[in-house]
Amino acid sequence: MAEPLPDLIEEFVTDSMGDDPAVILTALSSQDTVYIASLLESLPVERRLIIWEGVPRDKKLSVLVEMRSDPREILIDATAHHEWASIFSDIDAEDLLELLDSLPTKLVDLAYQTLDSQERKYFREATQFPDSQVGHWVNHELLVLPANAKVREGLRLLRRELPQHCDSIYLVNRSGQFSALVKVNKLFAAQEHTSLVQLAEESAAILDATEEVSTASLQVQRSGLSALPVVDENSKLIGRLDITSASELINEFYERQVMASAGMDEDEDLFSPVAKSARNRALWLGINLLTAFLASWFIGLFEATLQQVVALAVLMPVVASMGGIAGSQTLTLIVRGLALGQVTSANIRALMVKELKVGGVNGVIWALVIGVVAYFWFTDVLLGVVICLAILFNIVAAALAGVFVPVILDKLKIDPALSGSVILTTVTDIVGFVAFLGLGSLFLM
């Protein structure tokens, strides 16, 4: 049984076992490659390099495949050139595709020469598609028979060693074009002379090689099958996308969404160099600074009001915070809907009406609460009315912005998860401050 990862991290970081190669080899030899990859990503760079030397040679390739690109590149750079021949001894096209962006050209060439002729063909075909398309990630281990095959031929095929996640046989014509999909379990109850076409699924989904990976992966997850066939522009069967690969691609997609919301890369190393981390985050901080100055400029328009009614300055953060939270809730919902293909031009109007109603209900409730609190705090009825109206207006405006900001960004081919939160915060801050200070100037001056 694997030792809990936090415990092993502590042992390698704080205890002497992290310095003895023999002890490291013993500790890691029984662990799977996913566990080792997570361990290495969790260690400071100096300690990581020591542990990497103790990773069994036959596991190094698989460990690199499982790692994020940033920490992986550190290990690749630290590995002596003469070791790569043995590391690449069992590499296949899928492994090389996974490592492609991390390996220098010389190592890519070395790995490519290690592949057999069939794996080289698979690699060349996959690289015709960008890594954002499913054709880049197809699995070539599949059960295929001619379209005129009988049940007995299918049963004979099943007696061989079956690939992982194989619950279907794919039928192709003489040109290699996909014809039909037959579930394996249907063969066992059928007569041997029955044509496989008669057992084919009538509505099995087929993936186009140019389809976006997250969309294709969701189709696999929802299909009820362990894999779906992938075809090229000529309907020729080029492989399949199985449930394991689909799940990994979906996990990477959502991790990318989460990291993008903070302006960060999902491949960033926990212990990446300070200069690199600072550089990667500086742009986002700069954009945020510009939006903050924009909000401050709008506040400056009411400088005279703020000087005379200090209570407005005290309560301004409340207005901004409530609008920001309300907007981010709607934004998160819409971004998820866009990612899943659930938000379209057909339902956006109904969605907007629903979110405005939600904003209106919450706006009324919390506006009254905050208005009462402001009244008892400053014993000023008009001040309570002003913040009450400002909160209501800002929460409703935040709901509206939460719907339209991600939709507009998506139309412009800009990732709403990356830019939506910054734009939304700017909108709610400006609307909230202008409403609050504008009403304050009208009623309190």
Side-chain angles (χ1 to χ4, degrees):
M1 183 176 178
E3 185 176 358
L5 185 60
D7 294 344
L8 194 57
I9 292 171
E10 184 172 352
E11 291 175 6
F12 277 132
V13 172
T14 62
D15 298 345
S16 59
M17 69 176 291
D19 298 317
D20 188 341
V23 174
I24 295 171
L25 183 61
T26 301
L28 298 183
S29 59
S30 61
Q31 309 297 344
D32 63 40
T33 54
V34 176
Y35 184 94
I36 297 173
S38 296
L39 171 66
L40 290 169
E41 291 180 350
S42 307
L43 298 174
V45 174
E46 297 79 8
R47 183 65 62 183
R48 182 186 302 166
L49 295 177
I50 295 173
I51 305 303
W52 174 242
E53 290 299 318
V55 174
R57 184 66 57 83
D58 60 339
K59 290 187 175 183
K60 285 194 171 184
L61 176 63
S62 297
V63 169
L64 289 174
V65 169
E66 296 293 342
M67 293 181 73
R68 293 180 175 86
S69 61
D70 279 7
R72 173 201 294 158
E73 289 171 5
I74 292 174
L75 299 183
I76 289 173
D77 291 342
T79 302
H81 187 75
H82 67 270
E83 294 184 32
W84 287 109
S86 60
I87 292 175
F88 287 153
S89 59
D90 295 321
I91 196 170
D92 57 26
E94 290 183 37
D95 290 337
L96 183 53
L97 287 167
E98 185 66 42
L99 298 175
L100 190 57
D101 292 337
S102 301
L103 293 172
T105 304
K106 288 184 178 180
L107 290 183
V108 172
D109 293 340
L110 176 62
Y112 182 78
Q113 295 303 320
T114 307
L115 300 175
D116 60 33
S117 58
Q118 185 64 63
E119 291 293 327
R120 290 181 187 179
K121 177 177 177 292
Y122 292 154
F123 179 78
R124 290 193 301 270
E125 290 175 349
T127 51
Q128 293 175 5
F129 303 95
D131 60 9
S132 60
Q133 295 179 352
V134 70
H136 190 86
W137 302 110
V138 295
N139 182 311
H140 298 282
E141 296 180 338
L142 59 169
L143 302 178
V144 182
L145 284 174
N148 60 356
K150 308 292 185 182
V151 167
R152 59 175 171 269
E153 295 170 75
L155 292 173
R156 191 180 305 124
L157 182 64
L158 295 179
R159 295 190 186 102
R160 304 175 187 174
E161 184 177 353
L162 294 180
Q164 188 180 30
H165 303 310
C166 243
D167 61 356
S168 304
I169 295 175
Y170 302 145
L171 304 181
V172 297
N173 63 20
R174 293 181 178 179
S175 301
Q177 294 174 313
F178 179 82
S179 295
L181 177 152
V182 181
K183 288 185 177 179
V184 166
N185 59 1
K186 288 190 174 183
L187 274 64
F188 302 112
Q191 297 295 323
E192 288 194 351
H193 62 272
T194 304
S195 173
L196 287 178
V197 172
Q198 295 179 243
L199 306 178
E201 296 296 304
E202 294 182 0
S203 58
I206 304 171
L207 302 177
D208 188 288
T210 59
E211 196 160 359
E212 206 275 327
V213 288
S214 61
T215 304
S217 298
L218 285 172
Q219 287 190 62
V220 174
Q221 290 185 334
R222 295 167 178 169
S223 68
L225 298 169
S226 60
L228 288 179
V230 181
V231 300
D232 64 13
E233 59 184 1
N234 299 314
S235 297
K236 183 178 179 181
L237 180 67
I238 63 171
R240 65 184 181 132
L241 182 65
D242 63 56
I243 190 65
T244 295
S245 298
S247 298
E248 290 174 352
L249 290 167
I250 283 292
N251 289 341
E252 291 173 5
F253 172 77
Y254 284 119
E255 183 180 359
R256 184 160 56 250
Q257 295 283 77
V258 170
M259 296 296 285
S261 66
M264 298 176 68
D265 186 343
E266 77 275 13
D267 287 319
E268 181 160 341
D269 189 355
L270 276 173
F271 295 97
S272 60
V274 173
K276 182 177 181 180
S277 293
R279 184 174 62 252
N280 290 343
R281 302 179 197 183
L283 176 61
W284 206 243
L285 290 171
I287 293 172
N288 186 71
L289 178 62
L290 291 176
T291 61
F293 274 131
L294 182 60
S296 297
W297 180 78
F298 276 93
I299 294 172
L301 298 177
F302 299 93
E303 182 179 358
T305 304
L306 287 169
Q307 288 177 348
Q308 296 188 43
V309 188
V310 178
L312 293 176
V314 175
L315 294 173
M316 277 172 51
V318 177
V319 178
S321 176
M322 293 299 290
I325 292 297
S328 66
Q329 291 170 337
T330 303
L331 178 77
T332 301
L333 184 71
I334 302 301
V335 168
R336 186 191 68 177
L338 288 169
L340 297 177
Q342 296 174 327
V343 175
T344 69
S345 57
N347 64 6
I348 190 65
R349 181 181 177 85
L351 192 55
M352 179 192 68
V353 171
K354 175 256 182 179
E355 287 300 319
L356 285 175
K357 288 179 179 179
V358 173
V361 171
N362 276 327
V364 169
I365 293 172
W366 290 106
L368 290 174
V369 170
I370 296 169
V372 170
V373 171
Y375 166 70
F376 283 106
W377 188 354
F378 295 99
T379 62
D380 189 331
V381 175
L382 286 178
L383 180 62
V385 171
V386 166
I387 194 170
C388 184
L389 293 173
I391 289 290
L392 174 59
F393 186 75
N394 199 24
I395 289 181
V396 172
L400 190 64
V403 172
F404 280 107
V405 165
V407 169
I408 292 172
L409 290 174
D410 188 60
K411 292 288 186 183
L412 297 174
K413 306 299 182 184
I414 300 173
D415 188 352
L418 179 63
S419 308
S421 59
V422 172
I423 296 175
L424 177 71
T425 300
T426 304
V427 170
T428 55
D429 281 354
I430 291 175
V431 170
F433 293 149
V434 170
F436 186 43
L437 298 176
L439 290 170
S441 300
L442 184 63
F443 288 104
L444 302 176
M445 293 295 288

